[in-house]
Amino acid sequence: MTDNARLLAQVRPADWLDPDPRSLYDLVVLGGGTAGLVCAAGAAGLGAHVALVERSSLGGDCLNTGCVPSKALIRAAKAVRDARVSADLGVTTTSRVEFSAVMRSVRERRADLAHHDSASRLTSLGIHVFFGAASFTGPRTILVNGRMLRFRRAVVATGARPSVPPIPGLMKVRYLTSENLFEITDQPRVLLVVGGGPIGCEMAQAFALLGTAVTIVEAGPRILQGEDVEAADLVARQLATNGVRVLIDTPLRQVSESGGQITATFDGGSISADTILVATGRSAHLEGLNLEQALVRHGPNGVAVDDHLRTSNRRVYAAGDVCSSLKFTHAADAMARVVIQNALFHGRGRVSSLVIPWCTYTSPELAHVGIPPTEAVRRGAVPITIRFADVDRSVIDGESDGFLRVHHDRGRIVAATIVGVHAGELIGYFASAMRRGGRLGDLAHDVFPYPTLADAVRKAGDAYRRTRLTPVVSSLLRRYFALVRKM
Ligand SMILES: Cc1cc2nc3c(=O)[nH]c(=O)nc-3n(C[C@H](O)[C@H](O)[C@H](O)COP(=O)(O)OP(=O)(O)OC[C@H]3O[C@@H](n4cnc5c(N)ncnc54)[C@H](O)[C@@H]3O)c2cc1C
């Protein structure tokens, strides 16, 4: 059995028979991605009668076309990078990339993880799973495969899909997006990545390390816009070191294809490539939902929700990419938990009380939590920066490029950015600290094993406490020690 067949057997079984619908469900979930799965499993675990409708494959973007395959590809690219840098440690290895085997391992990892999201797991939890496109027929009814599902509450969790910009000619060429990227078997020789956001940068670097000649074209003034500028510049430098050419301020004017060669034109030049990957953001997936029938308002950013994730129909909620600008799996998961509480138990859980970090898994990783860096500066928050060059473990590992920067307002953490290896792991400390009140000085009391990167977290706490030593206190302390030395 191929890995894709193994995947589909779990998340979209070919011989699936929809169950006979109940006369009324406590919760009907539209979409079987992270948000939908967490809502459905959580509600069923509490005893609710739940139906889940998925039009394509359970697991949604994360399992099928997003986090899982992209991180598996990045893992293969890291093996190449490790082989290259090992010479600095006195170990010489050679690496040879067999691209079709790399992609096979990507698909294998995906199939290995599919059991978490499988149809059989959901039915074992008592959830009625329907495979088909759901659409509302009224404020309390949903149609799927010609059958009517009546609900007390529903949650729209239909996610997002790649948004493709209206570049003249683009629709006429064969282009890749995250939806078909992980199915390729032949290595692109020359890859043009349109968009320097997280997905564009992650994939550009991975393909470059695997041996493809890669160019990113970004319409804006820098890659990873919205992130700390110094941190994004560090990632840009590393991309260049890995052979990725980055063209900023370069909106594409025209794309055409001739003899299997794609040509993209911009002001003052053009690029040729055999493959083009469009990574210019993602927009809410609303097609066919008939939201008007359910009196659910929506706009350019997807389903409109209040802070409790309730839509304009008080019986209908939304969670995940379909209603949020924070399009991440862990955000979808956290929102789903808010929905369970609010939709089924009249709870008052608020999205605004969640602290949601994020990470771009380039090398180095770039992670952030809290208000945007520009907002932190505008509000006059004070930065404290710890360079990984000053953290023993980073130096030992030869991976000291990068830093941790915390912005605080009179000791309360308002934002943290980390750029460096394992930034995605470290940012969790700050997310956790911020949720518990976020006093920067408290971090100085935390004890971490030596030598670890986490030592940088304590150093940030120490650095803050040193700033609390006013000249008056310093001079008092000097006098105290002068006195005790005489005793
Ligand atoms: C390349 C890539 C890499 C990513 N990497 C990361 C990462 O490293 N970390 C991270 O946190 N996030 C990452 N993401 C984002 C992450 O995948 C999404 O944020 C997450 O999947 C959102 O979950 P969701 O449940 O809101 O939507 P989705 O996962 O999109 O699920 C929605 C589901 O609804 C179904 N659906 C749509 N319309 C209907 C309908 N009418 N009826 C029934 N079903 C319907 C869809 O088929 C889909 O299965 C990545 C995304 C991409 C594309």
Side-chain angles (χ1 to χ4, degrees):
M1 200 190 239
T2 65
D3 292 310
N4 275 357
R6 195 155 61 88
L7 172 75
L8 287 176
Q10 298 178 80
V11 297
R12 179 82 203 214
D15 53 355
W16 188 257
L17 289 177
D18 287 346
D20 287 331
R22 290 180 187 277
S23 54
L24 178 69
Y25 287 99
D26 295 307
L27 185 70
V28 173
V29 180
L30 293 86
T34 305
L37 290 168
V38 173
C39 278
L46 295 167
H49 286 171
V50 180
L52 181 142
V53 187
E54 167 55 49
R55 97 174 181 181
S56 175
S57 295
L58 293 167
D61 268 3
C62 182
L63 175 69
N64 297 290
T65 57
C67 330
V68 172
S70 63
K71 268 74 254 179
L73 189 75
I74 287 170
R75 178 64 189 88
K78 181 176 178 296
V80 176
R81 195 179 72 90
D82 287 347
R84 282 188 196 164
V85 299
S86 65
D88 296 342
L89 310 172
V91 180
T92 309
T93 57
T94 51
S95 58
R96 195 179 65 82
V97 174
E98 195 191 321
F99 187 76
S100 59
V102 168
M103 295 311 286
R104 218 170 27 246
S105 87
V106 166
R107 293 188 279 268
E108 189 182 350
R109 294 290 93 75
R110 190 167 62 176
D112 288 347
L113 285 177
H115 62 99
H116 295 301
D117 304 345
S118 68
S120 61
R121 178 176 164 256
L122 296 183
T123 47
S124 76
L125 297 173
I127 298 165
H128 279 186
V129 178
F130 296 82
F131 281 106
S135 60
F136 286 96
T137 51
R140 297 190 66 175
T141 46
I142 284 165
L143 188 71
V144 55
N145 300 336
R147 302 169 103 166
M148 200 66 82
L149 309 183
R150 290 186 63 240
F151 60 82
R152 279 184 50 239
R153 299 285 182 270
V155 53
V156 183
T158 50
R161 51 171 35 171
S163 35
V164 179
I167 301 168
L170 182 59
M171 288 302 175
K172 294 195 195 122
V173 307
R174 293 166 296 107
Y175 64 85
L176 296 174
T177 66
S178 54
E179 294 198 326
N180 49 6
L181 175 66
F182 303 106
E183 304 312 320
I184 65 172
T185 46
D186 294 333
Q187 178 157 17
R189 210 173 40 77
V190 185
L191 173 66
L192 175 62
V193 177
V194 187
I199 295 174
C201 289
E202 285 182 2
M203 292 301 96
Q205 188 177 44
F207 274 92
L209 283 164
L210 292 169
T212 296
V214 184
T215 301
I216 296 178
V217 284
E218 164 56 53
R222 63 172 58 90
I223 60 162
L224 300 175
Q225 285 174 57
E227 300 285 5
D228 180 288
V229 173
E230 192 187 343
D233 283 349
L234 186 58
V235 175
R237 280 204 299 282
Q238 189 56 45
L239 286 174
T241 304
N242 296 141
V244 178
R245 184 173 162 224
V246 180
L247 302 178
I248 51 165
D249 287 322
T250 307
L252 290 185
R253 299 295 179 209
Q254 171 92 37
V255 178
S256 60
E257 185 172 4
S258 163
Q261 218 28 35
I262 295 165
T263 305
T265 314
F266 49 88
D267 294 341
S270 67
I271 305 173
S272 286
D274 54 60
T275 309
I276 180 165
L277 170 66
V278 178
T280 44
R282 294 173 334 114
S283 43
H285 196 163
L286 304 177
E287 297 87 58
L289 285 174
N290 244 344
L291 291 174
E292 294 73 18
Q293 288 287 326
L295 311 175
V296 171
R297 274 200 290 274
H298 59 92
N301 298 326
V303 174
V305 286
D306 64 15
D307 201 19
H308 307 290
L309 291 174
R310 200 159 72 168
T311 69
S312 47
N313 174 342
R314 66 185 182 85
R315 296 181 181 280
V316 179
Y317 289 73
D321 285 8
V322 78
C323 65
S324 172
S325 59
L326 293 178
K327 294 189 179 357
F328 306 109
T329 291
H330 47 282
D333 183 308
M335 281 185 249
R337 290 159 201 264
V338 171
V339 166
I340 295 171
Q341 184 189 343
N342 293 352
L344 300 180
F345 301 105
H346 306 289
R348 305 297 292 161
R350 291 177 179 277
V351 182
S352 55
S353 67
L354 299 172
V355 179
I356 298 178
W358 62 82
C359 182
T360 298
Y361 296 90
T362 40
S363 167
E365 295 179 355
L366 199 174
H368 182 83
V369 64
I371 60 174
T374 44
E375 177 68 8
V377 172
R378 197 187 61 74
R379 287 197 204 170
V382 180
I384 285 186
T385 303
I386 305 297
R387 305 268 161 198
F388 285 123
D390 296 323
V391 176
D392 289 4
R393 183 55 190 260
S394 308
V395 177
I396 295 167
D397 286 348
E399 299 193 290
S400 54
D401 256 3
F403 60 85
L404 176 166
R405 178 166 294 143
V406 194
H407 276 96
H408 69 92
D409 177 4
R410 282 162 293 164
R412 200 174 61 79
I413 303 166
V414 295
T417 291
I418 305 176
V419 61
V421 283
H422 305 307
E425 306 287 341
L426 288 179
I427 201 70
Y429 288 115
F430 289 95
S432 175
M434 286 173 76
R435 208 180 71 72
R436 288 168 175 76
R439 306 304 308 178
L440 185 47
D442 288 348
L443 298 181
H445 301 300
D446 291 336
V447 181
F448 297 100
Y450 178 88
T452 56
L453 296 180
D455 219 18
V457 176
R458 183 190 51 78
K459 280 179 185 285
D462 282 344
Y464 168 70
R465 290 176 78 85
R466 280 197 297 278
T467 67
R468 305 299 297 149
L469 280 184
T470 59
V472 177
V473 176
S474 298
S475 104
L476 282 175
L477 283 172
R478 267 197 305 278
R479 272 195 249 160
Y480 165 78
F481 284 114
L483 197 66
V484 290
R485 275 195 298 271
K486 285 185 195 145
M487 284 162 73

